[in-house]
Amino acid sequence: MTAPEDRTPTTHSDVETRSDVTVELVKSSASDADVLFAARVSTLGDQSLDELKKDPERSKGLINYLMRDRHGSPFEHNSMTFFISAPIFVFREFMRHRVGWSYNEESGRYRELQPVFYTPDESRKLVQEGRPGKYVFVEGTPSQHATVRHVLEDSYQQAYSAYQKLLAEGVAREVARAVLPVGLFSSMYATCNARSLMHFLGLRTQHELAKVPSFPQREIEMVGEKMEAEWAKLMPLTHAAFNANGRVAP
């Protein structure tokens, strides 16, 4: 399990804002050896279990072959569970990934939602130029960044005050939450295997080695980058083969 991140928020009245996301690996059963024993059962049968006792470095060529020729099922025999805290709009994109993923998210029906909201920092490109399908994002001016920050904070303050007013009137949480924006932070557990994670990374991160370009929203890419860093430590040979073969999921 990784050490908790610094989640110190910025306070605006009773509303807190963050520009980061949290990704923590809370549980895993994942190694390069898992790929090897699963692949070799096709030729070795029960003797393939011996792969669990061997150094996977001796068989990194097999991992690369499986990745290159897109023999994908051996990459499914592992598991990683992440705790993720991010804005709701990130989760709505995230949960479009259904095959090989399991999710459990905090519920606005069963708990009072906390006043923590997303505001982009100065590194976030703000301005979209070009037509649909052929556009780029460019840096925002200091004035634009200041406007975004102030407008979002004011909107969040009003929305959360309305939420609190409804709760104080005895309105059910599941109804009161309707006034809250998608910039609200939520949290979830997400469980996947290496194959499903590679598919996610191929779509939700930009990378110079990618054979197929992707143009993700920056906020979900921030989540993907942190998940990839944890996975790379668990399965370094598989991660290297993923990069060497154009970052296309097998």
Side-chain angles (χ1 to χ4, degrees):
M1 180 173 176
T2 57
E5 301 175 15
D6 179 11
R7 303 178 198 164
T8 304
T10 301
T11 302
H12 180 77
S13 187
D14 61 344
V15 164
E16 301 171 352
T17 61
R18 292 177 55 185
S19 59
D20 64 332
V21 296
T22 297
V23 175
E24 296 176 10
L25 179 68
V26 297
K27 185 176 67 171
S28 66
S29 175
S31 71
D32 292 314
D34 297 333
V35 179
L36 297 172
F37 86 79
R40 287 203 160 115
V41 71
S42 61
T43 56
L44 297 178
D46 58 2
Q47 296 178 31
S48 59
L49 290 172
D50 293 339
E51 293 299 325
L52 294 172
K53 305 171 188 175
K54 297 179 182 177
D55 181 2
E57 280 281 351
R58 297 172 52 193
S59 299
K60 63 182 178 181
L62 174 57
I63 291 176
N64 189 71
Y65 159 74
L66 295 169
M67 191 77 69
R68 184 194 69 211
D69 285 16
R70 306 194 71 184
H71 297 290
S73 58
F75 297 100
E76 297 176 3
H77 295 269
N78 55 82
S79 177
M80 293 163 279
T81 298
F82 296 91
F83 173 80
I84 302 169
S85 179
I88 287 174
F89 67 80
V90 170
F91 286 179
R92 296 305 161 259
E93 285 196 337
F94 205 125
M95 291 177 182
R96 294 174 70 113
H97 297 266
R98 299 181 298 276
V99 177
W101 288 89
S102 298
Y103 303 107
N104 279 93
E105 184 182 355
E106 70 174 280
S107 173
R109 297 183 68 192
Y110 303 123
R111 71 181 302 246
E112 182 176 331
L113 298 171
Q114 299 304 298
V116 183
F117 297 87
Y118 175 76
T119 54
D121 63 19
E122 289 73 15
S123 68
R124 208 312 184 179
K125 295 180 179 179
L126 288 184
V127 180
Q128 180 178 323
E129 294 182 346
R131 57 183 173 79
K134 196 175 183 181
Y135 60 81
V136 296
F137 283 90
V138 298
E139 305 292 339
T141 66
S143 176
Q144 286 172 323
H145 277 284
T147 299
V148 167
R149 183 173 63 254
H150 292 313
V151 168
L152 286 178
E153 288 176 349
D154 288 344
S155 175
Y156 293 153
Q157 181 65 57
Q158 292 177 32
Y160 199 75
S161 294
Y163 175 64
Q164 289 292 303
K165 181 178 180 179
L166 291 172
L167 294 180
E169 291 289 331
V171 175
R173 288 183 292 265
E174 65 183 47
V175 176
R177 64 178 173 171
V179 301
L180 295 172
V182 293
L184 181 77
F185 267 74
S186 187
S187 60
M188 72 172 177
Y189 291 103
T191 299
C192 62
N193 58 57
R195 189 183 193 185
S196 55
L197 180 58
M198 284 186 278
H199 183 259
F200 176 88
L201 295 174
L203 292 172
R204 301 300 184 178
T205 60
Q206 281 189 314
H207 199 284
E208 60 183 4
L209 296 177
K211 186 183 300 182
V212 181
S214 185
F215 305 95
Q217 183 165 339
R218 177 55 191 154
E219 287 75 14
I220 197 169
E221 184 178 38
M222 290 159 58
V223 174
E225 289 170 348
K226 293 190 175 190
M227 295 177 76
E228 181 170 359
E230 296 295 339
W231 170 55
K233 289 184 283 188
L234 295 172
M235 304 178 73
L237 300 181
T238 303
H239 180 253
F242 176 58
N243 280 331
N245 290 278
R247 293 176 66 86
V248 175

